[in-house]
Amino acid sequence: MNLKIKKLKALETEMRANKKLPLKSSLVFGEGLATAKIVFIGEAPGAKEDELGRPFVGRSGKLLEESLKEIGLKREEVYITNIVKRRPPVNRDPNPREIEAYKPYLEKQLEIIKPKIIVSLGRFALNYFFPDLKITGAQGQVFDYELGSENKFKIKLLPIFHPAAAFRKKETLKEFKKSFKVLVRFLKA
Ligand code: URA
């Protein structure tokens, strides 16, 4: 088994054993290619994700998959996860304590995968990396970002609208789709 797959499995096992983590719903660790160049990060699992234990498997996931297909990518060729890995009750926003508690796991996950680019989906995922940026101004632009606790490494970060927001407004959907075109050049690199 690939070393990265092994490390991700071990991290998931460690998370499941950590009873101190907030929220009691199913653990939705994340899934996809352990050596992916692109990692998508959402906010927190919804009802369908909680039921199936997989990220982005509802309506938002369908739009994500469709948009990937349009740039010639399959879901299996990227990695998909969330900042908070359990569903908050009645789909409320994750709170700062929850985001903080799940942070070490997301950090380790990203250190293992070492993608070229992170695509943050929506306002919460953007503000996890850049607390002061606004989604409307930042979406569709590529930012430099440094990851890693001991050995730091440079990556790119592309904030895009959350698919759920893209359903609400035509203009948002247009911007959402446009952002995927930016990813094409990272596939070639
Ligand atoms: N919305 C998210 O932010 N994450 C999911 O996994 C599903 C919907």
Side-chain angles (χ1 to χ4, degrees), residues 71-112:
I71 57 161
L73 275 181
K74 290 196 194 86
R75 182 185 169 105
E76 299 76 38
E77 292 174 290
V78 299
Y79 195 90
I80 307 173
T81 190
N82 283 295
I83 48 176
V84 168
K85 298 187 190 329
R86 284 190 176 93
R87 183 193 184 205
V90 289
N91 279 0
R92 66 154 168 75
D93 293 339
N95 65 39
R97 186 181 73 92
E98 289 156 358
I99 294 173
E100 205 50 40
Y102 282 90
K103 192 175 179 167
Y105 294 99
L106 177 58
E107 282 185 354
K108 281 183 199 155
Q109 216 170 10
L110 293 172
E111 277 182 51
I112 295 168

Side-chain angles (χ1 to χ4, degrees), residues 51-64:
E51 185 192 323
L52 301 178
R54 299 176 56 206
F56 285 94
V57 284
R59 200 169 166 232
S60 290
K62 282 223 166 64
L63 180 59
L64 183 59

Side-chain angles (χ1 to χ4, degrees), residues 58-64 162-170 172-173:
R59 200 169 166 232
S60 290
K62 282 223 166 64
L63 180 59
L64 183 59
H162 195 283
F167 286 126
R168 289 195 286 268
K169 222 166 137 196
K170 239 186 177 166
T172 307
L173 177 63

Side-chain angles (χ1 to χ4, degrees), residues 62-72 176-177 180:
K62 282 223 166 64
L63 180 59
L64 183 59
E65 278 175 38
E66 176 196 303
S67 310
L68 282 170
K69 203 172 161 196
E70 284 166 11
I71 57 161
F176 179 85
K177 293 273 182 176
F180 279 78

Side-chain angles (χ1 to χ4, degrees), residues 150-178:
E150 279 155 40
N151 300 309
K152 296 216 180 290
F153 59 101
K154 286 186 171 48
I155 58 153
K156 301 287 181 189
L157 195 129
L158 171 69
I160 73 172
F161 283 123
H162 195 283
F167 286 126
R168 289 195 286 268
K169 222 166 137 196
K170 239 186 177 166
E171 201 48 42
T172 307
L173 177 63
K174 217 169 118 190
E175 288 297 323
F176 179 85
K177 293 273 182 176
K178 213 166 103 187

